[in-house]
Amino acid sequence: MSIRVARKRSDAYQHGDLRRALVQAGLKLLSEHGVAGLSLRAAAELAGVSHAAPYRHFRDKNALVAAIAEEGFKLLTRAMRTEVEACSSGDVLLRLRAVAHGYVSFALAHPAYFRTIFAERVWLDKNDPMKDSLVAASRESLGVLRGLIDEGIRNGHLRAGDPDQISLAAWSLVHGLSLLIIDGQLGGLCDTPAAIRSVTDSVGRLLQRGIAR
Amino acid sequence: MSIRVARKRSDAYQHGDLRRALVQAGLKLLSEHGVAGLSLRAAAELAGVSHAAPYRHFRDKNALVAAIAEEGFKLLTRAMRTEVEACSSGDVLLRLRAVAHGYVSFALAHPAYFRTIFAERVWLDKNDPMKDSLVAASRESLGVLRGLIDEGIRNGHLRAGDPDQISLAAWSLVHGLSLLIIDGQLGGLCDTPAAIRSVTDSVGRLLQRGIAR
DNA sequence: ACCTGAACACCGTTCAAGT
DNA sequence: ACCTGAACACCGTTCAAGT
């Protein structure tokens, strides 16, 4: 996907929607140059604006990263929902596997983006006024998984248990697997989409055997 | 733990063991100022040496990070071994839980360090001549987990299965859980050692139910 | 062989000044 | 209200020069 960044016309006094343009620029930088390539100055330049201009819209770099992360969670949520709907099965276990696949696939397709979403500094900055909406976006992402687990427990396809614990286990599993792959720990094990599905499924099945009735 | 960095005496021509001093300085910077606080220039200053001196020992910052990561894997390995030995049970499942606890505890005790160990750039740089020993250190870490799983399959405490798959699932689970906690995703759920053990155990049990005989 | 100091191209952040 | 340009304190990296 090619990301468009609205540039300020050089004869204009104002940009119009600089905030949005900076977020788009950040996404472009992340996807083209990785985490290290994301800088306020580079984003400002892509938006056709001076390097100090972003400070009218974000109080620091971390605030821009938080805005990008929020956008990222929405994309992650959509990626998981799309997989679940494509599955179109009544079987909760199959749909859980689809969510897992959506999660891992998103991470592999947008590694720098995925890492940025979970970058600690975004989460540990208590004063960020944007934090509420970021947390909301994150909860919605996790909600896709959580909803299926609740449903499985309710209709008896999953063994009775604490849904918080089960969600956390499932989330940890797909999160860890995603990071091990994109950090290169598995030595290029997952190059093809088929290989991704195979690894995700086989790892997921082991947990499923533990939580299924 | 307070980390000592050997400084060059200002009247001396050479440092003596600058390479080692820079790695120690890196560890100190990581533990005191986080990932963002780790810079070649700051490490050089801690070692009492000019900012260009490190380039006689590391071809770039990434090479220093790789050396730090190698040291980190050794500490991680020791942390897991210590937990397993303290467990002193013949039960593979109990010892697996001890390994899991060692892994997660290490991550929570040294978050910046843990993140650095797995930083993608360290792994994706194919040309780094140090990569072989880094990979060896990483394999030894994973070997602690892997050894227990092999043993469990051999003596029948674990269900028969592909040990690669089972190891990957277990590793993904503890890795994901560690990162979700240190990245603040769980909202300060794990503040006390008891809470860490409780979460690790409950999540681990779900996977164990899937892989135990 | 090992280290220094100056230099270059980047950062994030602040602030007075412009429109 | 929004943006610019200069400034400051940091980076990583290179390179001629010193011991």
Side-chain angles (χ1 to χ4, degrees):
Chain A
M1 80 179 148
S2 162
I3 297 164
R4 287 282 250 312
V5 180
R7 276 185 70 81
K8 195 196 75 154
R9 292 179 46 190
S10 53
D11 58 344
Y13 293 104
Q14 293 182 210
H15 177 98
D17 196 357
L18 183 53
R19 192 180 196 284
R20 214 184 108 73
L22 289 169
V23 171
Q24 293 299 310
L27 295 180
K28 191 183 175 76
L29 289 166
L30 277 177
S31 74
E32 289 175 6
H33 303 102
V35 174
L38 174 59
S39 75
L40 271 179
R41 290 178 99 112
E45 198 178 2
L46 281 179
V49 108
S50 86
H51 63 260
Y55 287 88
R56 291 300 118 195
H57 301 270
F58 300 101
R59 66 170 203 182
D60 56 19
K61 182 184 178 180
N62 211 32
L64 171 61
V65 172
I68 292 172
E70 188 178 332
E71 202 64 33
F73 267 115
K74 289 177 184 163
L75 289 177
L76 175 58
T77 303
R78 194 156 59 198
M80 290 190 287
R81 289 230 172 91
T82 302
E83 288 278 340
V84 177
E85 282 154 20
C87 175
S88 77
S89 161
D91 187 341
V92 173
L93 290 176
L94 277 181
R95 279 182 293 153
L96 271 174
R97 220 173 285 168
V99 174
H101 188 251
Y103 194 97
V104 177
S105 296
F106 178 83
L108 302 215
H110 313 288
Y113 207 171
F114 183 78
R115 258 187 281 267
T116 302
I117 289 177
F118 292 99
E120 102 254 49
R121 304 197 57 192
V122 177
W123 295 92
L124 271 40
D125 187 349
K126 309 245 174 194
N127 301 331
D128 190 337
M130 297 283 85
K131 196 173 172 186
D132 285 350
S133 59
L134 177 58
V135 169
S138 142
R139 266 200 239 288
E140 196 174 350
S141 264
L142 187 56
V144 179
L145 187 62
R146 175 62 191 253
L148 282 176
I149 285 168
D150 284 343
E151 180 191 329
I153 293 176
R154 224 183 309 116
N155 70 18
H157 283 91
L158 295 184
R159 205 191 301 250
D162 180 353
D164 281 333
Q165 275 179 25
I166 299 174
S167 299
L168 180 55
W171 192 14
S172 295
L173 195 74
V174 291
H175 193 65
L177 180 59
S178 299
L179 285 164
L180 289 176
I181 296 172
I182 67 179
D183 286 344
Q185 291 296 317
L186 270 38
L189 183 62
C190 293
D191 294 335
T192 68
I196 298 168
R197 183 170 289 280
S198 157
V199 168
T200 308
D201 277 359
S202 79
V203 165
R205 251 191 296 264
L206 293 177
L207 178 62
Q208 285 191 354
R209 212 184 274 160
I211 65 178
R213 177 179 289 278
Chain B
M1 82 181 144
S2 161
I3 298 164
R4 286 284 250 313
V5 180
R7 277 186 69 82
K8 194 195 77 151
R9 290 178 47 191
S10 54
D11 57 346
Y13 292 103
Q14 293 182 210
H15 182 284
D17 196 355
L18 183 53
R19 192 181 196 282
R20 211 184 110 71
L22 289 169
V23 171
Q24 292 301 310
L27 294 180
K28 191 183 174 76
L29 289 166
L30 277 176
S31 74
E32 289 176 7
H33 303 102
V35 174
L38 174 58
S39 74
L40 271 179
R41 290 177 100 113
E45 199 178 1
L46 280 180
V49 108
S50 87
H51 63 259
Y55 287 88
R56 291 300 118 195
H57 302 269
F58 299 101
R59 65 171 202 181
D60 56 19
K61 182 184 178 181
N62 211 33
L64 172 61
V65 172
I68 291 171
E70 188 180 330
E71 202 65 34
F73 267 116
K74 288 176 184 164
L75 289 178
L76 175 57
T77 303
R78 193 156 60 198
M80 288 190 286
R81 289 228 173 93
T82 302
E83 288 277 340
V84 177
E85 284 154 19
C87 175
S88 78
S89 160
D91 186 342
V92 174
L93 290 177
L94 277 181
R95 279 183 293 153
L96 270 174
R97 218 172 287 168
V99 174
H101 188 250
Y103 195 98
V104 176
S105 296
F106 179 84
L108 301 215
H110 313 286
Y113 207 169
F114 183 78
R115 258 187 281 267
T116 302
I117 289 176
F118 293 99
E120 103 253 51
R121 307 198 55 189
V122 178
W123 296 93
L124 271 41
D125 186 349
K126 310 245 176 196
N127 302 330
D128 189 338
M130 298 281 86
K131 197 175 172 185
D132 285 351
S133 59
L134 176 59
V135 169
S138 142
R139 264 201 240 288
E140 195 175 349
S141 263
L142 188 55
V144 179
L145 187 62
R146 176 62 192 251
L148 282 177
I149 285 167
D150 285 342
E151 180 191 329
I153 294 177
R154 226 184 306 117
N155 69 19
H157 283 90
L158 295 185
R159 206 190 301 249
D162 179 354
D164 281 333
Q165 274 178 26
I166 299 175
S167 300
L168 180 55
W171 192 14
S172 296
L173 194 74
V174 290
H175 193 64
L177 180 60
S178 299
L179 284 164
L180 289 177
I181 296 173
I182 67 179
D183 286 344
Q185 290 297 318
L186 270 39
L189 183 62
C190 293
D191 294 335
T192 68
I196 298 168
R197 184 169 289 280
S198 156
V199 168
T200 309
D201 277 359
S202 79
V203 165
R205 252 190 295 264
L206 295 177
L207 178 62
Q208 285 189 355
R209 211 184 276 161
I211 65 178
R213 178 179 289 278

